[in-house]
Every structure is written in structure tokens, then in C-alpha cells.
Amino acid sequence: MLVVFVFLRSARATIIPSVAIPLSLFGTFGGMYLLGYSLDNLSLMALTISTGFVVDDAIVVLENITRYIEAGESPLAASLREQGRLASPSSR
């Protein structure tokens, strides 16, 4: 998380990836347990890549919300606008 903090330069913005990563890992391990999968090299590689995707997506969303706020929108309007972009990625 230190790398994310250094990149974002905000403790508040670092909280989102630091919560999203453990939640996604717990969900992944729970799903693997329920489906009877084991941890082999392929699944560990997939977990590493998916963790990178979660962190990258969280950083991109935070950057876009910050950009909207700096443009004069309220934090709620900025987050709702970014949520709309996530819901329909073809509109980017």
C-alpha cells in the first residue's frame, strides 16, 4: 500500500485500494473453495494479475473523480458521473 500512497499522495485515496484488494482476495478464495479449486501456479498468477487490475481500476476511478471535482463539480456529482461511465464503458 505504500506504493499506492506514494502514487496517489493521499491517505484518504489509499483507503479504497487497501479495502478493495483484501475483499476481492477473500471473495476469490471463497469462490475457489466453494467450487473445489486448488491453488496451483496458474491460479496464483491469475490472482496476481487480477489484483493489479483492481488497484489500477481504483486509481483510474479516483483520478477521474478528482478531475471532476477540480473542474467544479461536487464530490457526489463527480462520483455519480464516474459511476455512469463505469456502468456504460462504451460511452468513453
Side-chain angles (χ1 to χ4, degrees):
M1 290 300 122
L2 181 62
V3 173
V4 176
F5 177 74
V6 169
F7 180 75
L8 293 175
R9 295 184 211 129
S10 167
R12 182 176 163 200
T14 306
I15 292 173
I16 294 173
S18 64
V19 169
I21 291 171
L23 285 178
S24 65
L25 288 175
F26 287 139
T28 301
F29 285 131
M32 288 177 69
Y33 175 76
L34 291 175
L35 294 172
Y37 291 115
S38 65
L39 283 177
D40 56 1
N41 286 339
L42 186 62
S43 59
L44 288 174
M45 182 180 67
L47 281 171
T48 303
I49 292 171
S50 63
T51 302
F53 285 151
V54 168
V55 172
D56 182 54
D57 289 345
I59 290 171
V60 168
V61 167
L62 285 170
E63 286 176 344
N64 285 335
I65 291 173
T66 303
R67 182 170 48 97
Y68 294 142
I69 291 172
E70 289 174 352
E73 292 187 30
S74 70
L76 178 62
S79 61
L80 290 175
R81 184 173 175 187
E82 183 61 22
Q83 176 188 6
R85 288 182 56 157
L86 286 176
S88 59
S90 61
S91 65
R92 288 184 178 194

